[in-house]
Amino acid sequence: MKNKISMAVIRRLPKYYRYLKEMIDKGVDRTSSRELSEIIGFSASQIRQDFNNFGEFGQQGYGYNVKALHGEIVKIIGLDKEYNMIVIGCGNLARALINYGFGDVGFTIQALFDNDPAKIGTEFHGVEILDTNILETYLSKNDIDTAILCVPGKNAQGIADRLMVCGLKSIWNFSPVDLRAPEEVTVENVHLVDSLMTITYLINK
Amino acid sequence: MKNKISMAVIRRLPKYYRYLKEMIDKGVDRTSSRELSEIIGFSASQIRQDFNNFGEFGQQGYGYNVKALHGEIVKIIGLDKEYNMIVIGCGNLARALINYGFGDVGFTIQALFDNDPAKIGTEFHGVEILDTNILETYLSKNDIDTAILCVPGKNAQGIADRLMVCGLKSIWNFSPVDLRAPEEVTVENVHLVDSLMTITYLINK
């Protein structure tokens, strides 16, 4: 794999993954960048360029083997591995995410954290809710890949700092603030209110 | 306001909104594109260019009045108005969104829809859950701006088509598929699994 893959390409990968999986489910064996373009909406040359970033998948005039291409994208995204996750802030959104599951992404939620004494010690979906105070102790003993941050905005940076001090390298941030983090830490923001504001803007246009 | 504002600019507006609000809360009266740049992380010239899209806010060498600028952005995003919303598919994610609220965005959820007989007729947060079968009747009698779509992927396009036939102009889509919609309909996707896949890719890099 070449080194410098742009974020724009990376953000298109899950889309390729989804559409190729749909094709497999429908029994489609082969496809072309032109056909993919019609389904996905990116240009055919964009699609060929994207796939070229990761190696030689297709054959000129012959197209792509859907299963092989899908398998490669699974490996590129890293869906062939298992990941460990913790959730911090067990409000409604966190509970919904836990219930919702993560489709084909192999994340196991190993622990939940909250600072509400009424929640600490209880279980949700078979996972115990621990005291946020013991976050550092917990992380020193457990191998965690990602934290889902669902705490109020005013607490988010403080918790993120503590996670990063403990060596955590990725945060899925649902708190309504932008986190300061060094470049080597992945912060993936899901700013729901920002997304909704885009709608109000476009409604009024 | 000029006509062709790019989606990239539109997606930066909620960020400006949030940071300026924080400044107001801290009692900051004036700011400059350079100061905003340090806080928000966009370049100063990017920020000036963005604001120029919407008119003449600042004064050279004098900077911006924080409250006035914030007020303008409120109007531009459309946060000075009230909106009516319905939710389709009352699973955990929908319930979390309803509980979560929408911050300063003035959306009122007028009705919830589901096709599960066990849910129909019950209430959630004081809003009745109606039968998805009566969606068209409901929309013909009520003035709704946006629908939150939280149905399973396989049902999403069908429901979206029904909404659009009824004249709905915007959909906040949490279903894990891409919706086909004409250009005049705003579809704002929140693809949670796609977002998580970005994390797995970056973890493995």
Side-chain angles (χ1 to χ4, degrees):
Chain A
M1 200 184 303
K2 291 175 199 170
N3 256 332
K4 283 264 183 177
I5 311 290
S6 77
M7 276 309 293
V9 179
I10 295 163
R11 294 210 174 274
R12 285 193 287 271
L13 290 176
K15 238 175 167 170
Y16 292 130
Y17 170 85
R18 274 195 277 125
Y19 283 97
L20 289 166
K21 186 157 187 288
E22 237 172 65
M23 289 177 125
I24 292 173
D25 292 345
K26 285 183 190 158
V28 179
D29 284 336
R30 309 205 61 79
T31 188
S32 63
S33 53
R34 198 164 59 181
E35 190 182 41
L36 285 171
S37 167
E38 274 159 28
I39 304 171
I40 307 186
F42 310 147
S43 76
S45 80
Q46 166 97 86
I47 291 170
R48 284 194 300 272
Q49 227 175 306
D50 283 354
F51 293 168
N52 280 340
N53 271 307
F54 302 106
E56 301 289 321
F57 286 145
Q59 273 178 268
Q60 194 120 45
Y62 182 73
Y64 301 101
N65 175 310
V66 173
K67 261 195 191 141
L69 183 57
H70 182 261
E72 281 302 322
I73 290 185
V74 162
K75 277 191 268 173
I76 290 164
I77 300 180
L79 299 180
D80 52 342
K81 296 181 189 159
E82 298 287 322
Y83 304 93
N84 290 318
M85 199 178 233
I86 56 172
V87 179
I88 302 158
C90 285
N92 288 304
L93 189 61
R95 285 162 190 261
L97 289 171
I98 296 162
N99 257 320
Y100 180 72
F102 304 113
D104 304 323
V105 193
F107 274 100
T108 306
I109 294 174
Q110 298 291 358
L112 312 173
F113 290 88
D114 206 285
N115 59 12
D116 177 356
K119 290 180 185 169
I120 295 164
T122 65
E123 279 194 0
F124 187 70
H125 266 245
V127 184
E128 201 185 355
I129 302 181
L130 305 174
D131 189 334
T132 311
N133 281 333
I134 67 157
L135 193 56
E136 285 79 0
T137 319
Y138 178 88
L139 287 172
S140 71
K141 291 181 188 158
N142 294 275
D143 191 20
I144 300 297
D145 298 290
T146 301
I148 306 187
L149 205 55
C150 292
V151 300
K154 63 178 173 15
N155 302 337
Q157 185 66 50
I159 297 282
D161 289 343
R162 289 172 60 192
L163 292 168
M164 293 186 283
V165 164
C166 294
L168 212 82
K169 286 282 176 282
S170 67
I171 297 173
W172 202 18
N173 177 38
F174 286 79
S175 298
V177 293
D178 300 311
L179 301 174
R180 292 179 299 279
E183 211 178 308
E184 69 270 21
V185 175
T186 297
V187 177
E188 174 73 9
N189 292 307
V190 182
H191 284 332
L192 294 174
V193 170
D194 287 20
S195 169
L196 193 54
M197 286 184 188
T198 308
I199 293 184
T200 67
Y201 174 84
L202 293 168
I203 286 177
N204 286 293
K205 210 181 50 170
Chain B
M1 200 183 302
K2 292 174 198 171
N3 255 333
K4 283 263 182 176
I5 311 291
S6 77
M7 275 310 292
V9 179
I10 295 163
R11 295 209 173 276
R12 285 193 287 272
L13 290 175
K15 240 178 165 165
Y16 293 130
Y17 170 85
R18 275 194 276 123
Y19 283 97
L20 290 166
K21 187 158 188 287
E22 239 172 62
M23 289 177 126
I24 292 174
D25 292 346
K26 284 182 189 157
V28 179
D29 284 336
R30 308 205 61 79
T31 188
S32 63
S33 54
R34 197 164 61 183
E35 191 184 41
L36 285 171
S37 167
E38 275 160 26
I39 305 170
I40 307 186
F42 310 145
S43 76
S45 80
Q46 166 97 87
I47 291 169
R48 284 194 299 272
Q49 227 175 304
D50 283 355
F51 293 167
N52 279 340
N53 272 306
F54 303 106
E56 301 288 321
F57 286 145
Q59 275 178 268
Q60 195 122 42
Y62 182 72
Y64 301 101
N65 174 309
V66 173
K67 261 195 193 142
L69 183 56
H70 182 261
E72 282 300 322
I73 291 185
V74 162
K75 277 190 268 172
I76 290 164
I77 300 180
L79 299 179
D80 53 342
K81 297 183 190 158
E82 298 287 323
Y83 304 94
N84 290 320
M85 198 178 232
I86 56 172
V87 179
I88 302 159
C90 284
N92 288 302
L93 189 61
R95 285 161 188 263
L97 289 171
I98 295 162
N99 258 319
Y100 179 73
F102 304 111
D104 304 322
V105 193
F107 274 101
T108 306
I109 294 174
Q110 298 291 0
L112 313 172
F113 290 88
D114 206 285
N115 58 13
D116 177 356
K119 290 180 185 167
I120 295 165
T122 66
E123 279 194 2
F124 187 69
H125 265 245
V127 184
E128 200 184 355
I129 303 182
L130 306 175
D131 189 333
T132 311
N133 280 334
I134 66 155
L135 193 55
E136 284 79 0
T137 318
Y138 178 87
L139 287 172
S140 72
K141 292 182 189 158
N142 294 276
D143 191 21
I144 300 298
D145 299 290
T146 301
I148 307 186
L149 205 54
C150 293
V151 299
K154 63 176 172 16
N155 302 336
Q157 185 66 51
I159 298 282
D161 288 343
R162 290 171 59 190
L163 292 168
M164 293 185 285
V165 164
C166 294
L168 213 81
K169 285 282 176 282
S170 68
I171 298 173
W172 202 18
N173 177 38
F174 286 81
S175 298
V177 292
D178 300 311
L179 301 175
R180 292 179 300 280
E183 212 178 306
E184 69 271 18
V185 175
T186 297
V187 177
E188 174 72 11
N189 291 308
V190 182
H191 285 332
L192 294 173
V193 170
D194 287 20
S195 169
L196 193 54
M197 286 185 187
T198 308
I199 293 183
T200 67
Y201 174 85
L202 292 168
I203 286 177
N204 286 293
K205 209 182 51 172

